[in-house]
Amino acid sequence: MSKIEAMTDKDGLPAMSFRLSRRQIISGMAALGTVTAAPVRSAFAQAPKRIPIPEGEFTPQPIAIPNFVAGTPGDAEVGVGVAQVITNNLKRSGLFAPIDPAAFIERITNPDNPPQFQSWKQIGALYLVTGRMTRQGDGRLKAEFRLWDVNTQQQMSGQQYQTSPEYWRRIAHIISDQIYERATSEKGYFDSRVVFVDETGSKERRVKRLALMDQDGANVRYLTKGSDLVLTPRFSPDGQRIIMSLQQGGNSNLFVMDLRSKSTTRLTDTPAIDTSPSYSPDGSRICFESDRGGKPQIYVMPATGGGAQRISFGEGSYSTPVWSPRGDYIAFTKQGGGAFAIGIMKTDGSGERILTSGFHNEGPTFAPNGRVVMFFRDPGGNGGPSLFTVDISGRNELRVPTPGFASDPAWSPLLS
């Protein structure tokens, strides 16, 4: 365990004190990396101005993100990389519209100084991010950033982080979360990972391996060799276990895998096809798909196994259910009329809402803040599935990059 602390500064920025678990995702895998944080003080700080999270039509907010200044020779490339990752994260959220750097008038050379606000206002920026990357004497990398409100000319947030140089992408995700949180009323979701099924080979001889990646598709690692058919893996609420369905013979059952030891425990043992398990936020229950009633429907049972209760009764079949981290919705795949739709409903089955529909959409999973859903789409033919994201209002559908074909995503809780 390593401790990250950020205290209230003299300018009134909110205090934070929390402990982070720097766990290893599986035995033998490199640790996530220790990241220490502290506030960056400014005489221009103010309480953050919030962007309301939209449920309908929304115009993304213009934000300028120049390359982070290199505090030491040789770190310019890292400064460019951090700015690019932040840009991509915020753009994909659908809430921000990063401005093309070609339009920038001012060149940021010292992020300790207030920017020339009129230059940023002139190009339409509502927000500005400035930062610096510096190599410390002990070899660690220090990242500093500030978020500015261009109209009020006030600093909304400022933090500095130190970590090993190889974890610079994680720093970028953490900064992205800080910006998202300060500019909205919601937690971010960028410092998180996705477990998915990597698919290679021809359609007739497809090899499926359990894989792990950052939420933006980077840093892919493989957890299984492909000897078993792995379906619909899901993280437990504490991130230390994955619940999944394993096909063995003519049926499939639910299992839990401990990510440290890779040991598995069976939860169901029926002649039916039980698949797509998902934990409730408190970890006490599991929703899953089963054809034990004749066609795929959604069931709920205790997390340790036992009696299951059916909760879906609409037209067509329901599959691949997953609980929102907020506990307010269950996302699902609905098949009927030749279409596969991704939707959400309240946990009692009411309030059904379709987010996207097409030939073959399946396997939804929620971002850690419950505002974005990832799923996979298979066009059929000689191709294979790909991952996509869409927000819970049905807007901003985007493809997620993966090395090859990919299906059955499962979004982890926030790592920080």
Side-chain angles (χ1 to χ4, degrees):
M1 300 277 285
S2 64
K3 191 174 184 182
I4 290 183
E5 293 183 345
M7 300 166 286
T8 305
D9 63 31
K10 63 184 178 61
D11 303 305
L13 289 177
M16 296 177 288
S17 181
F18 50 94
R19 189 171 283 272
L20 303 186
S21 173
R22 301 301 171 193
R23 55 190 177 268
Q24 292 186 344
I25 292 299
I26 62 170
S27 177
M29 180 177 290
L32 296 175
T34 300
V35 181
T36 58
V40 174
R41 295 173 171 82
S42 170
F44 301 89
Q46 68 164 15
K49 178 181 178 181
R50 305 291 189 183
I51 302 173
I53 300 293
E55 291 292 338
E57 293 299 319
F58 175 76
T59 301
Q61 304 295 290
I63 185 170
I65 310 169
N67 293 334
F68 279 33
V69 174
T72 46
D75 290 324
E77 185 176 348
V78 176
V80 172
V82 168
Q84 191 60 58
V85 170
I86 296 170
T87 297
N88 292 341
N89 282 339
L90 297 181
K91 182 177 181 179
R92 291 183 67 85
S93 76
L95 300 181
F96 300 89
I99 296 172
D100 186 343
F104 296 171
I105 298 173
E106 181 188 11
R107 181 189 176 197
I108 301 296
T109 57
N110 186 355
D112 293 332
N113 295 332
Q116 299 170 10
F117 290 105
Q118 190 57 39
S119 296
W120 299 102
K121 190 173 184 179
Q122 186 175 333
I123 63 173
L126 296 181
Y127 302 96
L128 169 65
V129 178
T130 61
R132 173 168 48 214
M133 306 298 294
T134 307
R135 198 67 55 103
Q136 304 298 285
D138 61 3
R140 291 192 300 167
L141 195 64
K142 181 171 77 171
E144 305 165 80
F145 94 97
R146 299 175 191 266
L147 173 65
W148 301 90
D149 184 316
V150 173
N151 287 333
T152 64
Q153 302 186 10
Q154 301 293 314
Q155 178 180 309
M156 297 174 64
S157 181
Q159 290 281 319
Q160 60 181 359
Y161 304 92
Q162 295 192 51
T163 189
S164 298
E166 62 265 31
Y167 300 117
W168 67 266
R169 286 186 62 90
R170 181 152 193 242
I171 288 290
H173 292 318
I174 292 173
I175 293 174
S176 300
D177 282 332
Q178 284 286 311
I179 295 168
Y180 186 99
E181 183 174 350
R182 291 298 189 197
T184 73
S185 59
E186 305 287 343
K187 286 284 187 181
Y189 58 90
F190 306 112
D191 187 29
S192 60
R193 291 185 174 182
V194 174
V195 165
F196 67 102
V197 176
D198 175 84
E199 303 190 15
T200 57
S202 65
K203 210 167 187 70
E204 297 76 21
R205 292 173 166 250
R206 192 63 54 86
V207 175
K208 297 187 178 184
R209 294 181 292 172
L210 195 63
L212 181 75
M213 68 180 181
D214 295 350
Q215 55 79 29
D216 60 354
N219 296 324
V220 176
R221 276 148 284 186
Y222 297 98
L223 305 181
T224 62
K225 297 180 180 180
S227 56
D228 289 325
L229 178 58
V230 181
L231 299 173
T232 56
R234 305 288 183 200
F235 278 94
S236 62
D238 63 7
Q240 299 296 316
R241 294 166 292 155
I242 291 175
I243 187 170
M244 70 188 97
S245 175
L246 291 177
Q247 182 172 319
Q248 298 172 328
N251 66 316
S252 62
N253 283 288
L254 306 184
F255 292 79
V256 172
M257 173 188 282
D258 184 282
L259 287 174
R260 291 176 176 174
S261 66
K262 291 190 180 180
S263 64
T264 59
T265 303
R266 182 193 293 266
L267 296 181
T268 64
D269 189 3
T270 72
I273 298 177
D274 297 337
T275 187
S276 306
S278 173
Y279 284 101
S280 61
D282 64 3
S284 66
R285 294 181 294 165
I286 294 168
C287 64
F288 65 99
E289 167 196 342
S290 178
D291 66 354
R292 61 185 65 186
K295 66 178 180 179
Q297 296 291 343
I298 299 173
Y299 291 78
V300 173
M301 73 175 184
T304 54
Q309 178 183 3
R310 179 177 166 181
I311 63 169
S312 62
F313 294 94
E315 294 293 328
S317 62
Y318 291 79
S319 59
T320 62
V322 59
W323 240 300
S324 167
R326 296 168 174 265
D328 52 355
Y329 290 115
I330 290 177
F332 58 87
T333 302
K334 184 176 182 179
Q335 183 179 1
F340 289 76
I342 301 296
I344 57 175
M345 65 171 68
K346 295 180 181 178
T347 57
D348 62 1
S350 64
E352 181 176 314
R353 181 193 306 168
I354 300 301
L355 305 182
T356 185
S357 183
F359 171 68
H360 192 166
N361 300 310
E362 199 171 351
T365 179
F366 281 99
N369 67 356
R371 288 294 180 178
V372 178
V373 173
M374 186 181 292
F375 63 97
F376 74 91
R377 174 177 296 147
D378 192 337
N382 294 323
S386 299
L387 303 184
F388 291 82
T389 56
V390 63
D391 68 30
I392 60 172
S393 67
R395 301 181 307 108
N396 197 39
E397 184 176 306
L398 298 168
R399 184 172 180 173
V400 180
T402 56
F405 299 138
S407 64
D408 299 286
W411 218 318
S412 83
L414 277 176
L415 302 176
S416 55

